[in-house]
Each structure stands twice: as structure tokens, then as C-alpha cells.
Amino acid sequence: MSAATAPASAPPAAGGPTGWVRRHRAALVVAAFVLLALGVALLTRGEQGNTTPYDPANAGEDGARAVARVLAEEGVDVETARSADELAEAGAGAGTAVVVTSADELGESTVDRLRDDTRGARLVVVDPGPELLRLLDRPGSPGSVDGGDPIEAGCDDPLFGDLRIEVDQAGAMPGSGCFADTLVTTGDLTLLGAPQLLTNDQVLRADNAAVALRLLGQDERLVWYVPSYADLVGDDGVGLRSLLPGWVLPGVWVLGLAGLALVLWRGRRLGPLAIEPLPVVVRAIETTRSRGRLYRRSGDRAHAAATLRAATRARVRARMRLGTAEETTLVRDVARHVGRTEAEVGDLLGSTGRVPGSDRDLISLANALAALEEEVRRS
Amino acid sequence: MAITGRVPLLVLLGLVAVVLRPGAGTVWLWLLLVLLLGLADWLLAPRPAALTFVRRPVGTVRQGHPAQAVLVVANPTGRTMRGVVRDAWQPTAGATGDRHRLRLGPGDRAALVTRLQPVRRGELRALGVTVRLPGPLGLVARQRTVDVAGSVRSLPPFDSRKHLPSRLARLRDLDGRAAVRVRGQGTEFDSLREYVRGDDVRSIDWRASARTSNVVVRTWQPERDRRVVLVLDTSRTSAGRVDDVPRLDSAMDAALLLAALAARAGDRVDFVAGDRRVRSRLRSAGVRQVSADLQDAMAELEPVIAEADWDALAGAVQGFGRQRALVVLLTPLEPSAVEEGLLPVLPVLTRHHRVVLASVRDPALDRLATTRTTLEEVYDAAAAEHAGQRRRRTADLLTRLGVDVVDAEADRLPPALADHYLSLKARGLL
């Protein structure tokens, strides 16, 4: 190729950044999106605080930090326990109130520990579910209460007698109590079915704040317990079976039986297997191969070399029509024929040739013999 | 007994019952219901034993060619029989469409046709007729397998048939040729005709030429009414496979071509096959019959893992008659087997007959000898060379004893053997 044609044959887009950008456009777009997503994630991460509903440290709409702060300012000693162990350390007893939020995360074992660790204390459970009610020996499920409108106390409890609450959603607890049964007190246990009156967002509606403070501020000390799933042990909590409809398990049995019938249906053959009286299969080359393996196992290079040489001699003899000539004559004629020295051909071909000292030598001897044969055939 | 696809469906219907009335008891009740229905259906199902079967003979067919197996089913009972019939054959019979729907009214009969296409030589057998008759609900069927004997005789394919026309043409060329160089025992005087350039001057009949103004030559007819004896070795060495075809099958192919050719040339063809003992023996019948008879005789021959008893085979050859014959030994040129078994009896044969040994050569041996890249291959090559040398030595030995050796690869052997026969015939050496 001449120098003048070389630049012309180069692809036009090979140099220059624009060409590179065009070729990697898709990759660049993907990379930009990934960077953007990473940036957004980093920026928003800092804004995440405590988001657990009704948590005393949650300053969001559904948090309860306002109530906790006010209680602390009013002189109540507010402690937060975030695990069963912390609750046990808090040592709640007589003269202490324990409020339980995130009650969904309580299981059988944590309820037992809760009962043991708060013996003598006043216990307020916020928004318990049906399973927890059963564990607390108040079986039943929360009924519905119309939210949105103020609810009169409607009970003769002196603490709440003149108050009204107003929340978006509420649920009636089993038993009878105040505020359309959303606040039921039996002995030391109080069930609160209108948890939203504790939230920062709704605490200022109607008399929510007063109800919250009167409910939680009766004692000098308040332990705010936020249970965690991590404290559950073994087969605690809710089993899968209790959540499924009753017919599912027998249905699985029916499916299994149908599967068994399917196997029996497809597995039954229409008559016995057709059998073939097979003939003897012997590969004709088998014995030769085994002989080769035998040579190899015994490592008899001398014998293998002698055999290869003899075979080549026989073929060359036939090729050059030398009949039953002496070996020296053969070597001389072959050397003259292919233009090599007599000593070289004698060493390669003769029965007195060198015995290969290693496997590598044997392989090269075999190939040299084949090459010699080819030379004789060509010339 | 066999269940149908309706049973799992019926069991599955139990899901409805379980949804309506959850509980383990419903499952058991439903299962009981299904079992009771199944039992009732089984009891009501017709009995397959009542059907009668007759098989029409299939006869013979050349390997690879289609045939039909006809099975006649009769229903002598007063009930209508519905169900499935399977006419099972051994796999190499190549049966397709062997499952038949059955619907027989009282006293009806039907012919069920199964297509066969044998892929193997020999007597291929039917394995049994299986009948499955479901009950009125179609849930459970009675099933029974009856042995109805039957077989198809699959003849050797005779692939070398394609070489026959060209060899027959060469045979005709021999006819009436003037220049039969060596006039053997069997060459017969045919006629006199005018000399044309190219004729052998030795065949000029001077006495006849003297009587006319032209030079006259004698023409000769190739010898006729010779005997050819084909000896097929079915011993262990014939079981060896060359490119997955047993040597025996290749040898049969060669024998069939030679027999067809020799029969057209007016020679008599006898055949004997055996290993430890004589397995098959055939005296020549009519000219046209030879191929068919031979194929039939060969159909059931299989290699046996035993050493050939050449004494017995040579005895069988002598048993065909004392007339001089061309004896073709179709046996692999296996040095040890030949030296130990065949050599001792060869003088008996060569004294009375012309002997030819036709052997299938294994091309894998040459491949093995020329591949020399790894150590393993070099040792294999040495072993192959060793085997090749022994073969050559054995062939030389046989040649010295007056035996012609035709050693060729499987597809070349039939034409090579036929050519050798033609050359013997041309030289009047039969």
C-alpha cells in the first residue's frame, strides 16, 4: 500500500471525541442515570430519621415526640426501651406506667416477658391486633369506629369524663370503656384503640393532648416500650397455618392424591418393554488397541521402535521394488534415492539403529520414519 | 389393570368438595368414592381374554424394505369391545403405528395392520399383543398381554447388487473372445471365424485357414458348468465390526454377488456356513433361484463366539462332491485363527480345488498405523504395524500354499472378489 492511500482508508469516525461519544451513547446514558440515582440516594439518606409510627423519637407526622417531650417537661421521667432486654433493665414496677407502641411486633415470648417485667406497673397497649389481644387474654378483634368526628368520652371515668377526642381512624377494643370503647381499662391493663391521638400531627385536635397526657402522665415514671421482632424466639409469632383458609391443607392433600393418580396413569405401560436379542459387538480393532496399551504399560520402546522400523522397511522395499535385498543394500539405495547420508538413513531405518532413550525420542522417531516414507514415495 | 386419565381428574374434582366442607374427613370420603367408582368400573369392564387373535404370516422381506404385519382380532362375545391394542415387535423390526384403536361389535372381526421396516438381518419376532379395555365409566381398564407367535424373515440387503450389471457385461465380453491366452481345462472350443486385426496369432487355426482363402481363428467359450463352493465363516473373528458393520455381513454381501455372477456364468454354486459346526448348507438349485435361496439361508446366521472348526467345514466342502471346484473361504485374515485353524486343513482343499480366501480389511488399522502424534498413538501405531506385518506374513504363507488372497475393505470386497473370479474364468483356471 502506498503512503498516499493510507490516510484515505482510515475510518472517518475513528479519531475525534464526537465519534467516540456517538458510539458509546447508550453506555453514557446508563452511566449518567446510575450517577443521578446514587446522588439522590445520598442526598435523601440524611433526612431519614426515626420513622416508626408512635415512636417517642419520631418527629414526623405519625411520630409521638411531642407527647414524649411534653411529658418530660411536665416532670415525668420518660425512658425509652427498644428491646425486651432494655425493658427488663428499666425495672418497671409499682408507680410506673409502661406504654407499648408498635404492638404488632410483639410475639408470644415477648408478651410473656412484658407481663413478667411490668408486674405492678400500669400497662398501656397502643393499637393491639387480634393475635395480641388473644395473648393478652382479651380475645376479640378491634371493631370499627367512625373517625373524623369528635367522640365524646361517654363513660364515668373521672380522668376522661369531660373530654372529647378527634382522630382519623380508631378501633373499638373488646370490653367497655371510654370514647366509644376505644380506650378500655381493665385493672392495670389499658387498651388504646385510637393511637392517632398520640401523633404529632393530630395531638392538637379536640382534647387529644389532654387525653394523652392524662393517660400517660399519671405516674412519675413512664417507660416507652417499642418492641422488636428481633426478640422473638423460635416458632413465635404468627404461624402460616393460622393465616390460611381452612380448606387449603386438605386441598393440598387432594392435589397430592391427584398427582399420585397421574403417576399411576402415566406409569402403566401398554404391555411389557420390547426387548431386542442383541448380537455380539466386537470391534475388530480392539485387540490391536489393547496390544498398543500393553506396549505402553510395559514402556517397551525398543520393541515399538523395531516394529515401526520393520514396517517402514517392508513398505520402502515394496515401493522401490527391492524384493528381498539385503538391509545394507536397502539402506544404501534409499539414501541415494532421497539424497541423505547412508549413516543417517541407517540410523533411522536399520534394525541396528539407535534405541530411543525417551518417550519424546520414540515419537520423533515414529514421525521421522513416516517422513522418510513420504520422501521415498514422492521422489 | 390400568387406570385412565379420568382418575386423576376425578380426584382433582375433590377440591370442590374440600372447599365446600374443609377437613381431612372430606379428603378420605372423596378418596373412598373414587376407589369405589374405580372398583365398579373394573368389575364391569369387558375381559380381554374373550378376544381371539390370528396372525397372518408376514413372510420374507429384504432388510430395509417395508412389510406389513396383519393381526386379525375377533370378538366372539355379545358385548361391544372398545379399547386399545398394541402389537409389539422387537425394536429392529422397525414397527411403526403398532397401537390400534379397537371398536368391535358382537361377532365382529378386524384386521390391524402394523407397518414393519426391518433394520437388521434375521428372524425378527413379534413379542406379544397387549389389549387394554376400559370399563363403561372409562376410569379403569383391564389389561392383558397375549403371546401371538409371529415373525418376519429379514434377508441380507445385498447392497453389492449394484456391481452385478458391470460384471455381467465383462462376463459377456469373455464369451466368444478369440484370444484366450492360456487354454485351461475348462475352456471349450466354440466356433471358427475370420481373423481380424488384434486377435492372438496363436489362436489361428492353420488347418481351417488352408481350406479357405482367409485366415481363420478359433474362438473359445469360457468354461462352463464349473463348481463354486462358498464357505462362510461364522466364528468369533467374523463377529468383529468394521465401521460398525459385522465382518460377517460384509462377507455375505461378497458371497451374494459372487453367487449371482457365477450362476449367470453357468456355474453351480454351493454354500456352506459354520463355526464349531456346520450351521447352514445349500446345494445349488436353478440359476434364477440361487440369490433368493442364498439370502434365505443366510438370513438367520449370526456370529458365534467360538473358534471355527475347519475340519468340519472342509468335510462339508468335500461332501458336495469330488469334482474340482473354486472354493471361496469367506473368513477374516486373522493370523492366529488362520494359522491354528485353517492351515492344517488347507492341503486337503488345495489338492482337489482352487482355493480363494476373501477377507474384510479394517481401514481403522491403517488409520491407527499412520497417526503418530502422542506417545499413546505411537504405541498404537507400533501395534497396528505389528498386526499389519503378521497379516502380510500370513497372506504370503497362504499364497505360497496356492491360495489366492483377496483382502479388501468392506465396500470393495464384493467387486474385488467378483473381479478375481472373472480373471480366473478368463484364464481358464477354474
Side-chain angles (χ1 to χ4, degrees), chain B residues 295-340:
Chain B
Q295 286 187 29
D296 200 45
M298 286 174 178
E300 270 199 280
L301 291 177
E302 288 293 345
V304 177
I305 297 298
E307 206 65 47
D309 180 0
W310 284 104
D311 273 332
L313 291 175
V317 170
Q318 302 290 42
F320 285 124
R322 298 197 63 80
Q323 191 196 342
R324 186 176 165 81
L326 171 69
V327 177
V328 181
L329 307 174
L330 294 145
T331 179
L333 189 59
E334 287 290 334
S336 57
V338 168
E339 281 164 21
E340 284 162 26

Side-chain angles (χ1 to χ4, degrees), chain A residues 207-222:
Chain A
D207 299 324
N208 288 359
V211 173
L213 293 181
R214 287 185 192 178
L215 181 64
L216 304 178
Q218 288 297 309
D219 301 278
E220 287 173 12
R221 211 167 148 236
L222 174 69

Side-chain angles (χ1 to χ4, degrees), chain A residues 77-150:
Chain A
D77 182 13
V78 179
E79 276 178 53
T80 309
R82 295 195 179 277
S83 69
D85 289 340
E86 286 181 28
L87 179 68
E89 278 172 26
T96 311
V98 177
V99 59
V100 184
T101 56
S102 301
D104 292 344
E105 306 208 2
L106 281 175
E108 203 167 340
S109 65
T110 35
V111 167
D112 287 346
R113 290 182 69 178
L114 175 70
R115 288 308 257 310
D116 289 344
D117 292 338
T118 60
R119 194 147 296 161
R122 219 160 53 77
L123 186 62
V124 179
V125 180
V126 177
D127 198 18
E131 183 71 13
L132 183 58
L133 287 173
R134 191 177 62 75
L135 293 173
L136 290 169
D137 301 328
R138 302 283 185 278
S141 47
S144 66
V145 172
D146 287 336
D149 298 326

Side-chain angles (χ1 to χ4, degrees), chain A residues 268 270 276 282 315 366, chain B residues 1 86 92 120 241 385:
Chain A
R268 179 78 164 106
L270 188 58
E276 178 75 30
V282 186
R315 273 195 293 270
Chain B
M1 194 186 107
R86 170 186 176 228
T92 46
R120 204 177 124 193
R241 287 181 176 230
E385 298 282 25

Side-chain angles (χ1 to χ4, degrees), chain A residues 114-365:
Chain A
L114 175 70
R115 288 308 257 310
D116 289 344
D117 292 338
T118 60
R119 194 147 296 161
R122 219 160 53 77
L123 186 62
V124 179
V125 180
V126 177
D127 198 18
E131 183 71 13
L132 183 58
L133 287 173
R134 191 177 62 75
L135 293 173
L136 290 169
D137 301 328
R138 302 283 185 278
S141 47
S144 66
V145 172
D146 287 336
D149 298 326
I151 305 171
E152 297 287 342
C155 65
D156 49 3
D157 192 324
L159 274 179
F160 311 113
D162 51 346
L163 299 179
R164 292 182 308 157
I165 60 168
E166 185 186 338
V167 288
D168 288 345
Q169 284 173 346
M173 291 292 118
S176 60
C178 307
F179 307 113
D181 296 341
T182 57
L183 186 72
V184 178
T185 306
T186 333
D188 283 343
L189 178 65
T190 304
L191 304 174
L192 176 62
Q196 282 169 343
L197 60 84
L198 299 176
T199 59
N200 301 335
D201 182 34
Q202 297 176 27
V203 74
L204 294 178
R205 293 188 195 167
D207 299 324
N208 288 359
V211 173
L213 293 181
R214 287 185 192 178
L215 181 64
L216 304 178
Q218 288 297 309
D219 301 278
E220 287 173 12
R221 211 167 148 236
L222 174 69
V223 177
W224 202 303
Y225 178 36
V226 185
S228 151
Y229 281 134
D231 292 327
L232 295 179
V233 292
D235 54 353
D236 255 3
V238 185
L240 190 62
R241 188 184 290 195
S242 60
L243 292 178
L244 293 175
W247 54 266
V248 169
L249 203 65
V252 170
W253 273 98
V254 169
L255 281 179
L257 288 170
L260 187 72
L262 191 78
V263 167
L264 289 176
W265 167 44
R266 298 310 306 177
R268 179 78 164 106
R269 241 182 268 112
L270 188 58
L273 277 181
I275 47 161
E276 178 75 30
L278 280 177
V280 187
V281 177
V282 186
R283 283 177 61 208
I285 201 74
E286 208 70 64
T287 47
T288 309
R289 275 192 184 284
S290 351
R291 184 187 287 274
R293 281 197 290 274
L294 203 65
Y295 284 174
R296 170 145 199 216
R297 195 172 300 166
S298 59
D300 196 349
R301 285 189 289 274
H303 185 76
T307 311
L308 289 171
R309 279 175 172 143
T312 303
R313 276 202 301 275
R315 273 195 293 270
V316 168
R317 217 185 275 270
R319 178 80 198 168
M320 296 179 63
R321 292 165 202 274
L322 284 172
T324 53
E326 289 281 316
E327 197 180 301
T328 47
T329 323
L330 176 78
V331 168
R332 197 190 58 220
D333 285 8
V334 169
R336 202 174 296 158
H337 195 63
V338 300
R340 295 200 202 179
T341 65
E342 217 167 293
E344 190 189 346
V345 174
D347 187 42
L348 187 60
L349 201 60
S351 52
T352 52
R354 199 159 35 81
V355 171
S358 70
D359 291 342
R360 194 174 293 274
D361 285 354
L362 180 62
I363 296 174
S364 54
L365 172 73

